[in-house]
Each structure stands twice: as C-alpha cells, then as structure tokens.
Amino acid sequence: MKQKRNMLPILLGILLAVVLVLVVIVFGAGMKAKQDEESVPQTESAVSAVQNETSVVSEIPSAEESSAVSEPEETKPLEGTEDFVIFGVDSRENNLGKGTRSDSMMVVHVDHETKTVRLTSIYRDCMMKIEGHDFNKAAHAHSYGGPDLAVQMLNENLDLSLEHYVTVNFITVGDLIDQIGGVEQDINDAEIEYINGYIDEVNGVRGTSSAHITTAGTYTLDGTQAVAYSRIRYTKGADYKRAERQRTILFKVFAKAKELDTIGRIQLAEKMLDEISTNYHTDEMVALLQDLSSYTMEDMTAYPQVFYGGSVSGKWYEVPVTLVDMASGVHEFLYGETDYEPSETVKQISKSMQGKASKANYHLTEY
C-alpha cells in the first residue's frame, strides 16, 4: 500500500465518486406501502464482528497535510466494466455489517469505455430467496449474514456476478448535504402535506432541529429537509414518484459537490470516508473510483416494477410478478441485454414465488 502523502492526489480524484456512493443512500427507504412489526435483532456480537468482516476506507489526509503535495500522480485509465453493490444501513451505532438490515440496495454498473454509470435499486421489501432463510425480505439478508450473504442473494435471484460491495450508513447523507451547503428544490402543495412529518422523523434520528416547510415554493434544503423530501411516498405515484424525487436530489448533490474547491473536497472526504465499509482492498477502491467524478450517471431505476404488494404469511412483501421478468429487466437495464434468458435457478425460484402471489396489483411503470 502506498504511503498517505502519495495517496492524496488520487484520493482527491476519487472524492466525487465517494460522494456518489454516499448520496445513493437517499434512494434508501425502499418501497414500504405498509410497515410491518417484524424486527431482526441487532445483536451486540454483530456490532463487534463487523470489524473483522469489513474493511473501512479511511486515513484521508487533512487539509493542512495536503499542502505538502504539489503534483498529481498519474495513473493508468481503467478499461472494461465494473459492477458492485451499495448497501445503505440505518445504524446509530455505525454497525455496517451483520446484524443490521440494508434499508437500500443498489447495483452499480460502471462502463469505463463510455464513462457512464447505471444504477438500479432493489426495494427492501422485495421477496427473494435467501440461503438458510427460505423466502424473505431482501433487506434481511444483510442482517442474517452480513454483506456476503446479501451479495449471494442478489447473485442467485437475479443472475448477477457481483463480488464487491460498499456499505454506507444512512445518517451520513444528511451530513453530506449540510457539508455542501444544501440543495435548491421546488416543493409543491401535495408534498407540503407530508414533508414535515418526515422532517420530524429525520430530526429525531440526526439530532437536528430543521424547520418545517409550510408553503409551496423554492427552498434551499438542508440535510435533514432534503432527506425528508426524498422519503415522501404518499403523493400521487407513491414510491415511483419518490424514486423520481430521490434521483432529483442525487443529481443536484452530485453537481454541487463537483463545484467544491480542493480544500472543500478534502474536508468533505475527512468527514465522509470513514463511514464507508467495503471488501475492496484500498488500492482496488482507488483504481475503481479515481476517475468517476468525470463520469456521467446515465440512468437510474428500481425493481421490482410489476409486483404483488400485500400480506404473505402475515408479513408485508413486494413479490415480483414474476422474478423471471424482473431478472430480465435488470439485465436489460444494466447491460443492454434485450433478449436475456434467466437461468434455471432463477426460473425455479420464480415458480416457487408465484405460488405465494401470482397476480400483480402494482405496475410502477404506469405512473
């Protein structure tokens, strides 16, 4: 591993990519048309075990140390493509491993040739087969077996070949938006009806005292208000519109972060990088992310898009109708595979899933 002073020029280059990873958690809340009472235990042993299961990206130099470095270090451009998954957790103890559910999951496809990024989130209540736990909510895989089990679940249910993950704590998102001075956003009358309840909720989590928004108009939202805005789901279009709001905030934060000067970027990195946990080695993380600040976020979406949303065995689920169609859609969106044929494994899981709910009552593409 290179010494810290030699890493600084590269870390400055990867900072905006880290911003991207963090803000992706705004996609967080998943699709919860109903909140069930189930809770997966957050064990004390899991909190300590995370230190052995994950590697935290840290040791970013301070702004003062940066003055010792004058010339950026040249690196070889990346080639081909890269896939990884982002898990967003909501943990006041900053437990980023086993014992904490992933409130958001986003599969990221990076094309280094075209310099484009495509991202698709998987709703937390989506029914999936989890090894050792039968059919369950996708969010629970991370709690049952940490990121490794969650990655395995995504690979098995969607025919993916993911190896790497990045885990980020939800609370970090509000800090990030505060650090860049907030984002400007129009709030309409329908959103006013619900945003203040979410502001109160996020204030409680973050320990902030952000003000209510009482009339429609254009506002500079602070971290708490922006996260609250991104979580609104009761207006027309429900979670499909919420995903649109989240994309709007994501693009605005990403654009604003790119305007920071060098010192601002270093300070942002100091605050944020220690919140990321990953199974990438540090040098791999640097190689992957060093140029992403110049990449374009080409498109984003979420799955499942056609599903049964309701009670299955007394618990709320979003059951893909069908998992075969969902896997095909994911491959078409991420990789442009218009004629993708899911594996026999996916087909068998899908068949078993249809026995639990075979008729869709949500078609998000209609909004």
Side-chain angles (χ1 to χ4, degrees), residues 37-47 90-91 93 95 97-102 133 136 139-146 315:
E37 298 298 326
E38 179 183 13
S39 175
V40 178
Q42 312 274 323
T43 60
E44 292 183 8
S45 59
V47 176
D90 189 355
S91 172
E93 296 79 21
N95 174 15
K98 182 178 179 181
T100 305
R101 289 174 295 189
S102 53
H133 300 277
N136 216 304
H140 290 176
H142 195 280
S143 186
Y144 291 138
K315 301 174 185 176

Side-chain angles (χ1 to χ4, degrees), residues 203-278:
N203 270 332
V205 173
R206 297 188 66 218
T208 54
S209 56
S210 295
H212 281 187
I213 299 172
T214 57
T215 59
T218 301
Y219 295 88
T220 298
L221 304 181
D222 64 20
T224 292
Q225 293 167 330
V227 171
Y229 172 78
S230 74
R231 302 183 91 173
I232 297 172
R233 64 181 175 88
Y234 291 113
T235 60
K236 184 179 180 180
D239 284 276
Y240 195 66
K241 287 296 294 182
R242 177 167 66 178
E244 182 179 294
R245 294 185 188 97
Q246 293 163 348
R247 287 194 297 271
T248 298
I249 294 295
L250 173 59
F251 277 107
K252 288 184 177 182
V253 172
F254 189 67
K256 192 165 183 180
K258 291 171 72 173
E259 298 174 0
L260 294 174
D261 60 19
T262 298
I263 297 301
R265 293 178 184 182
I266 293 173
Q267 292 172 341
L268 187 63
E270 288 178 322
K271 188 174 185 65
M272 299 300 167
L273 283 182
D274 62 352
E275 302 295 332
I276 294 176
S277 179
T278 180

Side-chain angles (χ1 to χ4, degrees), residues 47-303:
V47 176
S48 59
V50 67
Q51 297 179 354
N52 297 323
E53 293 179 359
T54 58
S55 131
V56 177
V57 180
S58 58
E59 297 186 4
I60 190 78
S62 67
E64 289 77 11
E65 291 175 300
S66 69
S67 61
V69 181
S70 57
E71 295 296 329
E73 181 176 318
E74 294 185 3
T75 56
K76 182 179 179 180
L78 293 174
E79 300 176 348
T81 61
E82 181 81 21
D83 292 336
F84 60 96
V85 59
I86 298 167
F87 297 115
V89 302
D90 189 355
S91 172
R92 298 189 185 190
E93 296 79 21
N94 204 33
N95 174 15
L96 304 182
K98 182 178 179 181
T100 305
R101 289 174 295 189
S102 53
D103 286 337
S104 66
M105 290 157 281
M106 180 164 287
V107 180
V108 183
H109 176 68
V110 183
D111 189 323
H112 299 298
E113 305 296 336
T114 61
K115 292 187 177 294
T116 56
V117 180
R118 298 180 73 85
L119 311 98
T120 181
S121 58
I122 307 300
Y123 290 128
R124 53 161 290 154
D125 290 334
C126 177
M127 178 180 283
M128 287 193 168
K129 184 178 180 182
I130 304 175
E131 182 175 349
H133 300 277
D134 199 21
F135 288 96
N136 216 304
K137 296 187 179 189
H140 290 176
H142 195 280
S143 186
Y144 291 138
D148 290 337
L149 182 60
V151 168
Q152 179 182 334
M153 171 196 69
L154 293 171
N155 287 338
E156 181 179 16
N157 285 264
L158 299 175
D159 277 349
L160 299 175
S161 300
L162 299 166
E163 295 181 359
H164 293 105
Y165 67 85
V166 178
T167 302
V168 189
N169 197 348
F170 157 77
I171 297 175
T172 304
V173 178
D175 296 340
L176 168 63
I177 295 173
D178 286 337
Q179 188 81 2
I180 64 171
V183 292
E184 188 174 280
Q185 180 59 43
D186 294 331
I187 309 294
N188 62 39
D189 288 326
E191 292 162 343
I192 287 293
E193 184 176 352
Y194 298 103
I195 191 170
N196 293 314
Y198 287 105
I199 288 175
D200 291 341
E201 178 185 343
V202 181
N203 270 332
V205 173
R206 297 188 66 218
T208 54
S209 56
S210 295
H212 281 187
I213 299 172
T214 57
T215 59
T218 301
Y219 295 88
T220 298
L221 304 181
D222 64 20
T224 292
Q225 293 167 330
V227 171
Y229 172 78
S230 74
R231 302 183 91 173
I232 297 172
R233 64 181 175 88
Y234 291 113
T235 60
K236 184 179 180 180
D239 284 276
Y240 195 66
K241 287 296 294 182
R242 177 167 66 178
E244 182 179 294
R245 294 185 188 97
Q246 293 163 348
R247 287 194 297 271
T248 298
I249 294 295
L250 173 59
F251 277 107
K252 288 184 177 182
V253 172
F254 189 67
K256 192 165 183 180
K258 291 171 72 173
E259 298 174 0
L260 294 174
D261 60 19
T262 298
I263 297 301
R265 293 178 184 182
I266 293 173
Q267 292 172 341
L268 187 63
E270 288 178 322
K271 188 174 185 65
M272 299 300 167
L273 283 182
D274 62 352
E275 302 295 332
I276 294 176
S277 179
T278 180
N279 64 343
Y280 276 112
H281 293 299
T282 302
D283 289 346
E284 291 177 317
M285 193 76 168
V286 169
L288 168 63
L289 298 178
Q290 60 182 320
D291 293 326
L292 284 188
S293 62
S294 64
Y295 283 36
T296 299
M297 284 188 282
E298 188 174 56
D299 203 1
M300 306 181 208
T301 191
Y303 285 91

